Amino acid sequence: MTNVRNVPKLRFPEFREALPWSIKQLKQVCAVNPATSELPEVFAYIDLESVEAGELKAKKIISREESPSRAQRLLNYGDVIFQIVRPYQRNNFYFRIHDDIKYVASTGYAQLRAFESKDFLFQAIHTDDFVEKVIAKCTGSSYPAINSSDLAEISVAIPKPIEQHKIADCLASLDELITLEAQKLAALKTHKKGLMQQLFPAEGETVPKLRFPEFRDAGEWDIKTLSELAENLDNRRIPVTESDRVKGAIPYYGASGIVDYIHDFIFDEELLCISEDGANLVARSTPIAFSISGKTWVNNHAHVLKFERRCVQKIVEDYLNSISLEDYLTGMAQPKLNRAMLDTIPVPIPRDECEQQKVADCLSSLDDLIDAQSQKLAALKVHKKGLMQQLFPSMEAEV
């Protein structure tokens, strides 16, 4: 079951004359949901919320008696768990933890135990070709899922073990670099969060713990409400031509940020169209506040504020993103931040305009570092994706 198409575009020199890769079903490459012995008395439980982008973000230590019925996959070192619910998220995990406690995964994952290279298997299940095959066999709309039996029959391209190891080592090196850069990004964000706690007065206080030398004797900061600091543009509407709507030249912002450019004709009384450079949008989900510029569609789940000075806008934006606004939300089923409550939110602000600018410049400099690191991380991920497309063959013409 091989074909000339089963040769990758990019191959290590020592394998360029080797035979095409074999096409096998997943169950021929690994044991799918291997038999599990009795669960331990106490274990770390991995559910579908525990894994994100290949990392274990959380685990729950529970007893066998209190464990949910879905806790069934007792993991061995080197096992891969594949997310069978919404598999397009690719929240899969390569289990390589040495702990004193056993780990058990939910049946929301398929447990895969490789017959040959475990590292290669983990990379192979993340290729676009494999994921697209999985998605094609999913059922359900809200929570598309594939059952383990169907997953086991999906085909994968497999080279000889020595080539598997070479490819896996190459991609694992990239993964390590991506992890390192992600840690740097997280460290920068943590640094900014900690610095803001020093740069802004603590709750109930009017002087920050950390102040630039030239402003140490400048006196207290003011505490002003948002209604005092900004003009609310919620009811502002400007003419938008039909060609604007059809062309998709105007970005659209919803409650959680930019959605996409509008490509089709839109007419919705709930939409606000503004044309304000330097405006600030306040949504009801994280990030709660972010800047917008130019002509923009905004839905009625967000508020648009206009500031006289860009530095004040920057201070307000970062401050709102650093605090909890839970006390200002109304409603039970879907809590939201209405305009009346928005207007009352107190924000500490330096009285001296020069200090306002200094604080804003400091925060903007940190944002520049964070943006640069984010771009570096994104570029590495794109590079890996492109490399995988070269290192794994297309199976379009498998026979």
Side-chain angles (χ1 to χ4, degrees):
M1 195 159 70
T2 60
N3 187 286
V4 69
R5 282 187 176 271
N6 299 328
V7 175
K9 294 178 181 177
L10 182 63
R11 212 166 185 183
F12 292 98
E14 60 268 40
F15 304 113
R16 285 174 186 162
E17 302 302 322
L19 293 172
W21 291 22
S22 300
I23 303 301
K24 298 182 178 180
Q25 291 182 320
L26 186 64
K27 62 187 177 183
Q28 297 173 296
V29 175
C30 62
V32 179
N33 297 338
T36 296
S37 57
E38 185 179 33
L39 297 182
E41 290 290 337
V42 176
F43 55 83
Y45 178 51
I46 302 175
D47 62 17
L48 287 174
E49 306 301 320
S50 302
V51 178
E52 183 179 333
E55 293 186 26
L56 186 62
K57 298 292 186 180
K59 61 183 180 183
K60 303 171 186 175
I61 307 299
I62 57 177
S63 66
R64 185 172 61 201
E65 287 71 22
E66 67 179 348
S67 65
S69 60
R70 293 175 69 87
Q72 294 183 22
R73 316 280 192 226
L74 181 60
L75 301 180
N76 284 0
Y77 188 90
D79 283 353
V80 172
I81 53 174
F82 183 87
Q83 181 184 7
I84 58 176
V85 180
R86 290 179 289 191
Y88 55 83
Q89 294 178 332
R90 307 189 191 204
N91 287 332
N92 311 311
F93 184 57
Y94 187 5
F95 181 71
R96 291 173 292 182
I97 299 176
H98 285 296
D99 261 357
D100 293 334
I101 193 166
K102 297 291 186 180
Y103 284 71
V104 175
S106 162
T107 52
Y109 298 98
Q111 182 179 3
L112 311 179
R113 188 168 295 164
F115 297 143
E116 295 175 342
S117 170
K118 302 174 179 66
D119 299 310
F120 180 85
L121 174 65
F122 183 69
Q123 299 294 344
I125 64 171
H126 288 91
T127 62
D128 288 345
D129 185 272
F130 184 81
V131 175
E132 286 167 7
K133 283 181 168 63
V134 171
I135 293 171
K137 287 184 173 291
C138 282
T139 58
S141 54
S142 299
Y143 296 95
I146 183 172
N147 64 54
S148 295
S149 298
D150 287 341
L151 179 70
E153 294 178 354
I154 290 180
S155 56
V156 289
I158 299 292
K160 297 296 183 183
I162 190 171
E163 191 172 0
Q164 290 182 35
H165 287 295
K166 190 82 172 183
I167 292 169
D169 287 346
C170 171
L171 294 175
S173 296
L174 255 181
D175 284 339
E176 289 175 6
L177 184 57
I178 288 170
T179 298
L180 179 63
E181 297 303 331
Q183 290 171 348
K184 290 180 181 178
L185 178 60
L188 280 171
K189 291 179 177 179
T190 300
H191 173 63
K192 180 183 176 183
K193 182 178 180 180
L195 183 60
M196 286 186 63
Q197 291 173 346
Q198 304 291 313
L199 284 176
F200 286 83
E203 186 177 357
E205 299 180 6
T206 56
V207 176
K209 293 179 181 178
L210 181 64
R211 211 163 186 182
F212 295 99
E214 61 268 40
F215 304 111
R216 285 174 185 161
D217 298 320
E220 297 179 334
W221 284 28
D222 286 328
I223 306 296
K224 294 189 174 183
T225 63
L226 273 179
S227 62
E228 296 177 287
L229 292 171
E231 176 190 2
N232 192 296
L233 304 181
D234 285 5
N235 297 321
R236 175 82 60 89
R237 279 174 169 74
I238 63 167
V240 180
T241 66
E242 186 171 314
S243 61
D244 281 334
R245 297 184 177 112
V246 175
K247 185 179 178 183
I250 304 176
Y252 168 72
Y253 287 81
S256 58
I258 188 166
V259 178
D260 200 352
Y261 283 78
I262 301 301
H263 294 294
D264 300 315
F265 181 86
I266 274 198
F267 183 78
D268 188 339
E269 294 293 342
E270 300 300 320
L271 285 178
L272 161 70
C273 189
I274 63 166
S275 184
E276 294 284 348
D277 287 337
N280 190 281
L281 189 143
V282 181
R284 70 179 184 196
S285 57
T286 304
I288 196 72
F290 45 94
S291 298
I292 58 176
S293 62
K295 190 178 289 188
T296 307
W297 290 106
V298 180
N299 76 10
N300 66 341
H301 291 298
H303 305 282
V304 182
L305 306 175
K306 176 67 176 177
F307 295 82
E308 290 296 326
R309 302 184 71 231
R310 178 67 182 88
C311 62
V312 174
Q313 176 186 329
K314 177 60 181 170
I315 291 171
V316 171
E317 179 181 330
D318 279 8
Y319 180 75
L320 291 179
N321 285 331
S322 71
I323 64 172
S324 171
L325 296 178
E326 187 173 333
D327 291 342
Y328 298 92
L329 302 180
T330 60
M332 298 294 289
Q334 291 185 313
K336 65 180 180 179
L337 181 63
N338 63 38
R339 179 174 175 176
M341 296 301 290
L342 175 76
D343 286 344
T344 66
I345 297 174
V347 177
I349 199 84
R351 292 176 182 173
D352 190 309
E353 291 187 356
C354 292
E355 188 174 8
Q356 293 174 9
Q357 190 65 58
K358 193 83 171 180
V359 171
D361 288 346
C362 174
L363 296 173
S364 295
S365 295
L366 268 175
D367 285 343
D368 289 342
L369 289 174
I370 290 170
D371 288 343
Q373 185 63 28
S374 296
Q375 291 173 15
K376 185 176 182 180
L377 179 60
L380 278 171
K381 290 179 178 179
V382 169
H383 173 63
K384 185 192 174 185
K385 183 179 176 67
L387 185 60
M388 287 184 70
Q389 291 173 344
Q390 302 290 311
L391 288 174
F392 287 81
S394 167
M395 294 190 292
E396 293 177 1
E398 66 182 75
V399 295

